Amino acid sequence: DAKTTQPPSMDCAEGRAANLPCNHSTISGNEYVYWYRQIHSQGPQYIIHGLKNNETNEMASLIITEDRKSSTLILPHATLRDTAVYYCIVRLDSSSNTGKLIFGQGTTLQVKP
Amino acid sequence: DAGVIQSPRHEVTEMGQEVTLRCKPISGHNSLFWYRQTMMRGLELLIYFNNNVPIDDSGMPEDRFSAKMPNASFSTLKIQPSEPRDSAVYFCASSLGLAVTKTQYFGPGTRLLVL
């Protein structure tokens, strides 16, 4: 699986958009980009995933660059409850490697009032 | 909807004792995963099952760890004998299959402290 690089921490003002970057320069064509977050003392929570197109759901938007070497998770209006560790994960689509989520260190997002 | 259910939520035990962690996956999900989280090593996949069959246990740290899935609605992770370095948060997750597009949903975790 391609490795990912994320900044260790970021701050965001409440009500503003939070843009969390992820670098995955060695990603291959059949690898998906997944985002999870973990709020303190809770289990990881799925946010969004994508292959090459930008994706949006009720929680966030995922912007993947055309060369797929990086992506950005956007929380459009961050709230204090969005304070969490955000994990960018690249998952390989292959029959021999199914199921595995390999978590890195993630980005600690602190939303401030 | 009930999510993944784990029990107990907290467990304190003494070194050498047997510990059993339990997980009930989301109804209808046929894939189940056990993870461990520590400050030093982060979140690690220990083992996962598909249709109650273990698929990959390469993340299980030692023979002291074992996991079973006797039916589609129940799994256990057992540590025997437990050691202080096993202290961690253990998460169970489930999904509708193993395909890369199938999302894993995590339970609240079991916080284990081995004294």
Side-chain angles (χ1 to χ4, degrees), chain A residues 75-113:
Chain A
L75 308 178
H77 306 287
T79 71
L80 298 179
R81 289 176 295 180
D82 291 322
T83 293
V85 178
Y86 287 77
Y87 297 98
C88 172
I89 302 165
V90 173
R91 287 184 71 183
L92 179 64
D93 183 13
S94 80
S95 59
S96 62
N97 198 38
T98 53
K100 291 189 175 181
L101 279 175
I102 300 175
F103 288 82
Q105 296 306 306
T107 296
T108 298
L109 175 69
Q110 180 73 47
V111 180
K112 299 185 174 182

Side-chain angles (χ1 to χ4, degrees), chain A residues 34-108:
Chain A
Y34 267 78
W35 284 83
Y36 277 78
R37 73 180 182 184
Q38 189 173 23
I39 296 170
H40 183 61
S41 299
Q42 297 183 22
Q45 177 188 23
Y46 166 77
I47 302 174
I48 199 167
H49 73 276
L51 180 62
K52 59 177 84 171
N53 298 320
N54 297 339
E55 302 287 345
T56 296
N57 63 20
E58 65 279 4
M59 288 183 68
S61 295
L62 174 60
I63 308 298
I64 303 174
T65 58
E66 193 169 341
D67 63 7
R68 302 187 70 240
K69 293 185 176 182
S70 66
S71 61
T72 301
L73 178 73
I74 300 173
L75 308 178
H77 306 287
T79 71
L80 298 179
R81 289 176 295 180
D82 291 322
T83 293
V85 178
Y86 287 77
Y87 297 98
C88 172
I89 302 165
V90 173
R91 287 184 71 183
L92 179 64
D93 183 13
S94 80
S95 59
S96 62
N97 198 38
T98 53
K100 291 189 175 181
L101 279 175
I102 300 175
F103 288 82
Q105 296 306 306
T107 296
T108 298

Side-chain angles (χ1 to χ4, degrees), chain A residues 34 36 38 41 98-100, chain B residues 33 37 48 56 100 104 111:
Chain A
Y34 267 78
Y36 277 78
Q38 189 173 23
S41 299
T98 53
K100 291 189 175 181
Chain B
F33 309 81
Q37 186 171 34
Y48 65 97
D56 186 343
V100 69
Q104 293 181 24
R111 280 162 179 71

Side-chain angles (χ1 to χ4, degrees), chain A residues 38 41-44, chain B residues 4-11 21-23 34-35 37 88-93 106-112:
Chain A
Q38 189 173 23
S41 299
Q42 297 183 22
Chain B
V4 175
I5 298 172
Q6 292 187 247
S7 64
R9 294 293 308 277
H10 302 271
E11 176 81 30
L21 311 181
R22 297 172 176 80
C23 175
W34 283 101
Y35 290 83
Q37 186 171 34
V89 183
Y90 291 81
F91 291 103
C92 177
F106 285 75
T110 294
R111 280 162 179 71
L112 173 65

Side-chain angles (χ1 to χ4, degrees), chain B residues 77-98:
Chain B
L77 178 67
K78 186 174 294 186
I79 308 172
Q80 168 62 22
S82 58
E83 297 183 3
R85 59 190 166 131
D86 301 330
S87 298
V89 183
Y90 291 81
F91 291 103
C92 177
S94 70
S95 65
L96 269 171
L98 295 178

Side-chain angles (χ1 to χ4, degrees), chain B residues 9-76:
Chain B
R9 294 293 308 277
H10 302 271
E11 176 81 30
V12 180
T13 190
E14 293 187 344
M15 182 173 63
Q17 296 298 306
E18 177 179 294
V19 175
T20 299
L21 311 181
R22 297 172 176 80
C23 175
K24 177 179 171 56
I26 293 172
S27 178
H29 284 192
N30 61 333
S31 301
L32 183 139
F33 309 81
W34 283 101
Y35 290 83
R36 178 174 69 173
Q37 186 171 34
T38 62
M39 288 294 292
M40 292 294 293
R41 300 176 66 90
L43 264 164
E44 305 173 280
L45 176 64
L46 300 178
I47 184 172
Y48 65 97
F49 297 81
N50 194 49
N51 295 323
N52 310 337
V53 176
I55 303 300
D56 186 343
D57 65 354
S58 59
M60 295 286 262
E62 299 173 32
D63 292 345
R64 298 184 296 105
F65 285 70
S66 63
K68 293 182 180 180
M69 192 163 186
N71 58 62
S73 59
F74 183 65
S75 177
T76 60

